[in-house]
Amino acid sequence: MQEPPSILVVDDEPNNFDAIEALLCSEGYALNYASNGRRALEQLHLFKPDVILLDVMMPDLDGIEVCRLIKAQPEWQAVPIVMVTALTDKADLAHCLAAGASDFISKPVNGLEMRARVAAMLRIKRQHDELEMLLALREIANERRYASLAAAAPVGIFRTDLAGRCIYVNQRWSEMTGVD
């Protein structure tokens, strides 16, 4: 059985989490809560979110900075971040997007809009994950094809890693050099 999508809600106001929970509880998501940006950053590996709903205006670290810090970590770059904000100025919204946010939603949050945006972001994340898996499978197939061709080659073949260490020699190379 597949695990439900994980959503991390980051907001310094517990009532806002309660409101989002009420809007999304019927969707079957695993909802997790972080009460500030630092806690969210510390708990990313614990929650492994598929989508992050991030309040913009928080004390200490604001949502834009938290977004920037999350997106600076390669393992979280593919996770969509939806900024939840009372800001309406286009420049502020542009700052959210420039920090790495995928989308934003205005407060007060509308249930229909929230569910639609979360579903869209989960769809994007799922497509990304499927593409990553296909690329990994393609890489494995390419490696197998290379190994098969190299093993049958009538010439000596060796391969090194970026550090210059030998990581592969074919049979012909071994016969020619006496090195395995």
Side-chain angles (χ1 to χ4, degrees):
M1 188 165 113
Q2 190 175 5
E3 291 183 28
S6 173
I7 298 173
L8 174 59
V9 180
V10 185
D11 200 311
D12 59 314
E13 290 293 327
N15 291 341
N16 290 339
F17 174 74
D18 293 341
I20 290 173
E21 183 179 34
L23 295 173
L24 297 177
C25 68
S26 65
E27 303 300 312
Y29 303 137
L31 296 172
N32 302 289
Y33 176 67
S35 60
N36 61 54
R38 291 201 192 286
R39 180 158 290 150
L41 292 166
E42 293 165 359
Q43 296 178 338
L44 283 173
H45 289 286
L46 175 66
F47 295 138
K48 296 183 173 112
D50 295 301
V51 171
I52 299 171
L53 301 175
L54 180 57
D55 184 30
V56 173
M57 294 188 292
M58 295 186 293
D60 194 21
L61 279 179
D62 69 24
I64 293 172
E65 185 60 22
V66 173
C67 181
R68 195 178 336 272
L69 291 168
I70 291 171
K71 292 298 184 170
Q73 300 177 54
E75 65 268 33
W76 304 114
Q77 288 175 355
V79 175
I81 297 177
V82 178
M83 305 300 280
V84 182
T85 180
L87 300 174
T88 57
D89 183 67
K90 298 298 181 193
D92 291 328
L93 299 176
H95 287 300
C96 293
L97 296 172
S102 304
D103 201 356
F104 52 86
I105 189 166
S106 298
K107 291 181 181 179
V109 175
N110 172 281
L112 183 63
E113 182 181 10
M114 172 65 76
R115 287 187 291 277
R117 290 186 188 271
V118 167
M121 292 299 111
L122 286 170
R123 185 173 51 253
I124 290 169
K125 175 67 165 60
R126 184 178 61 252
Q127 290 169 343
H128 175 272
D129 292 349
E130 289 170 358
L131 182 59
E132 286 288 317
M133 185 176 57
L134 288 172
L135 289 172
L137 291 173
R138 182 177 176 185
E139 181 67 25
I140 290 168
N142 286 341
E143 287 290 324
R144 287 181 180 161
R145 188 174 310 121
Y146 172 82
S148 175
L149 291 171
V155 297
I157 297 175
F158 70 95
R159 191 166 73 183
T160 63
D161 62 15
L162 294 175
R165 293 182 299 260
C166 185
I167 59 172
Y168 173 82
V169 297
N170 71 349
Q171 183 64 34
R172 184 67 181 125
W173 179 264
S174 293
E175 291 167 0
M176 291 170 39
T177 64
V179 177
D180 286 330

